[in-house]
Amino acid sequence: MSGRHTVVVDGSTEASAEVDATVRAAAASGVDRTTRTERATWLRALADAVEHHRDELVAIAHDETHLSEARLVGEVVRTATQLQFFAGVIEEGSYLEATVDPPDARLVPPRPDLRRMLRPIGPVAVFAASNFPFAFSVLGNDTASALAAGCAVVVKAHPGHPRLSRRVAEVALVALADAGAPADALSLVEGLDAGVELVGHPLVAAVGFTGSLRGGRALFDLAAARPAPIPFYGELGSLNPVVVTRAAADADVEAIATGLAGSFTRDGGQYCTKPGLVFVPDGTGFEEALCDALGTVGAQRLLTDGMATAFTDGAERLAGLDGAELIWRGAAEGADAPATVVATDATTLAAAADAWLQECFGPLTVLVRYRDDDELDAALASLEGSLTASIHHAPGEDVTALAGKLERVAGRLVFNGWPTGVAIAWAQHHGGGWPATTASVHTSVGATAIRRFLTPVAYQDAPAEVLPVELRDGNPLGIPRREDGVPIPAVNRDDTSPE
């Protein structure tokens, strides 16, 4: 089965045969033997292709997801930017962690010639997300970073936007072929059974997943239960706590409330970084200011009917908890999801954390009132892992201790801002402890996202012809390396190109 075609599977028997053929073709594609220059060319070709077909793709996405055209246009730009970004990452070369230690007989024990770098892990299964039909889907960040690493990719399409997934795959396959990529560098499968078969296939070396806690946990367990377990890099669920200090509320409560209203309702609250749990000081007028800000926010349609039902059920469950107070629910008609705010106090949350700390995907946030630092600290101690945590503080206010408490639960700390926006950068970290992700030391956005799909190999006393070019004497490609413990910066060499 050629990767030049979209694979559509429905029944379990068909899924098994089609997925097996697709994965075997990906494993035999030779992507892992291509050069960094070649892969950078593919990534830039994919970026150009997505931009070229933007209007057509946005129209399909708008019809399938109900997201606004303006949002989707911006997401296409982000997707192209991610692809271009990883082309630059692999050309720069430091991601390889190339290290050379020359032999030294004087050491105890004697040191042989040792050379180490990161190599492609093998075929990668990527599960597309529902809420970012471009940036975390067929050509999303997982696919971009895996291809950059030198891994063939088999994408499991999300059922929330099947027509878009197929069309993006068609555009991508043409672009890859024109750029000289091997056949089967990228493939697409569909269906629940296909996803299960994909994770269990013995030739799949790693999985990237963005989706629900329930679905991700099931696949995570499947990956761990294989005869040869594989890494499962899942982004599953996140409450993204926000702490508003008393000094910050006293300084400008209206601005903070307005910012929260815009952040948790943005695109129907369908962001993994939505602020879903907000600690506010009692008696500052924050709730009144938030309700005023929400007066201009209309209801929005969610991505799928299933998500709309889950949102309604989740909102009703939270509002029905002991100690809960429904302080805002906007008007809604039909399938629309209204902006919703539920409030409680810090003591109640700390006493019943399991009931309160469950993500409700959609335009809902929970306000947690606290009277003093002791109540706040007790509530914060009950938090689980999140992708982000935010602190709103007054100018000159020392929040070092508070930041230290939030560092233990979040992969990114945001100060006087909102987390719904994840920049593509070398310093970015989009991860966190369970249940935000399954592997908190790794990120799914930013340069080090590539690290998930690489594995270290050390070469001891290897013949020169066996060594990757990046490890050979003289550093012929001029990449950043560490030699005998000393960092060596990159060297510009116009007469050579990166491998």
Side-chain angles (χ1 to χ4, degrees):
M1 170 83 51
S2 170
R4 300 305 180 199
H5 303 282
T6 298
V7 178
V8 182
V9 292
D10 298 310
S12 58
T13 301
E14 184 182 357
S16 181
E18 294 286 5
V19 169
D20 179 63
T22 301
V23 174
R24 291 186 182 281
S29 66
V31 172
D32 59 326
R33 296 187 297 277
T34 59
T35 68
R36 289 182 290 122
T37 297
E38 290 171 330
R39 298 197 298 277
T41 299
W42 310 345
L43 293 170
R44 292 192 173 103
L46 289 172
D48 291 344
V50 170
E51 292 273 31
H52 180 74
H53 291 273
R54 181 184 64 188
D55 292 347
E56 174 198 358
L57 297 175
V58 164
I60 299 172
H62 177 62
D63 182 60
E64 285 194 301
T65 68
H66 318 299
L67 294 170
S68 71
E69 292 185 358
R71 149 69 196 272
L72 292 167
V73 168
E75 195 182 328
V76 169
V77 174
R78 179 189 178 90
T79 303
T81 300
Q82 290 172 169
L83 292 160
Q84 296 275 10
F85 176 76
F86 277 105
V89 168
I90 59 175
E91 286 178 333
E92 187 269 348
S94 64
Y95 80 96
L96 293 168
E97 299 179 12
T99 307
V100 176
D101 284 327
D104 192 336
R106 298 169 299 172
L107 298 177
V108 180
R111 185 176 70 198
D113 184 277
L114 286 171
R115 305 176 188 228
R116 176 189 183 275
M117 65 179 276
L118 301 180
R119 303 288 289 164
I121 196 170
V124 171
V126 168
F127 283 72
S130 61
N131 56 335
F132 281 85
F134 292 110
F136 285 85
S137 190
V138 175
L139 287 181
N141 212 61
D142 285 350
T143 297
S145 54
L147 285 175
C151 301
V153 176
V154 181
V155 178
K156 159 62 174 65
H158 194 280
H161 44 264
R163 288 189 292 117
L164 178 67
S165 298
R166 294 168 199 151
R167 184 59 185 135
V168 170
E170 291 169 355
V171 168
L173 295 177
V174 171
L176 287 169
D178 290 345
D184 306 297
L186 177 68
S187 305
L188 183 75
V189 300
E190 296 183 53
L192 177 63
D193 293 328
V196 172
E197 293 283 345
L198 195 56
V199 174
H201 197 286
L203 294 181
V204 169
V207 179
F209 174 91
T210 303
S212 70
L213 176 59
R214 180 181 177 184
R217 181 57 193 254
L219 295 175
F220 180 36
D221 290 346
L222 180 61
R226 290 172 35 143
I230 57 173
F232 182 93
Y233 299 109
E235 181 194 312
L236 310 180
S238 185
L239 287 176
N240 306 299
V242 177
V243 176
V244 179
T245 70
R246 188 168 295 277
D250 289 341
D252 199 347
V253 69
E254 289 82 7
I256 299 173
T258 299
L260 173 61
S263 185
F264 90 85
T265 64
R266 181 180 178 184
D267 291 318
Q270 299 172 111
Y271 281 71
C272 55
T273 53
K274 180 199 74 176
L277 192 66
V278 185
F279 296 87
V280 296
D282 213 359
T284 58
F286 186 88
E287 294 173 29
E288 293 82 359
L290 179 59
C291 290
D292 287 343
L294 288 169
T296 60
V297 176
Q300 300 180 66
R301 188 171 180 186
L302 300 189
L303 293 162
T304 67
D305 292 341
M307 289 179 183
T309 299
F311 173 77
T312 299
D313 293 345
E316 290 180 355
R317 184 193 68 81
L318 283 167
L321 292 175
D322 290 341
E325 179 184 352
L326 180 65
I327 68 170
W328 181 268
R329 177 179 286 160
E333 296 181 4
D336 291 342
T340 305
V341 181
V342 177
T344 190
D345 59 75
T347 302
T348 298
L349 182 137
D354 288 347
W356 285 99
L357 302 182
Q358 296 182 29
E359 182 184 18
C360 184
F361 192 70
L364 179 146
T365 196
V366 174
L367 299 186
V368 183
R369 308 171 181 126
Y370 68 91
R371 292 177 294 182
D372 53 38
D373 288 346
D374 289 340
E375 280 194 356
L376 175 62
D377 290 347
L380 293 180
S382 67
L383 296 181
E384 297 179 317
S386 274
L387 294 168
T388 74
S390 304
I391 299 173
H392 283 265
H393 61 94
E397 182 181 8
D398 186 358
V399 291
T400 304
L402 179 57
K405 294 180 176 68
L406 293 174
E407 282 176 351
R408 72 173 183 82
V409 297
R412 176 166 58 106
L413 298 186
V414 180
F415 296 87
N416 286 343
W418 300 100
T420 38
V422 185
I424 303 164
W426 284 80
Q428 185 59 270
H429 185 79
H430 190 59
W434 178 270
T437 63
T438 57
S440 62
V441 298
H442 295 284
T443 179
S444 60
V445 180
T448 55
I450 197 173
R451 183 64 178 81
R452 298 171 297 169
F453 307 124
L454 297 162
T455 188
V457 177
Y459 300 82
Q460 181 172 324
D461 294 328
E465 63 272 14
V466 173
L467 291 172
V469 178
E470 292 89 346
L471 291 180
R472 292 179 185 174
D473 287 344
N475 195 6
L477 300 181
I479 66 168
R481 302 201 310 191
R482 184 178 291 273
E483 299 180 4
D484 201 12
V486 178
I488 306 298
V491 177
N492 290 326
R493 297 189 174 173
D494 295 336
D495 59 338
T496 59
S497 59
E499 291 296 316

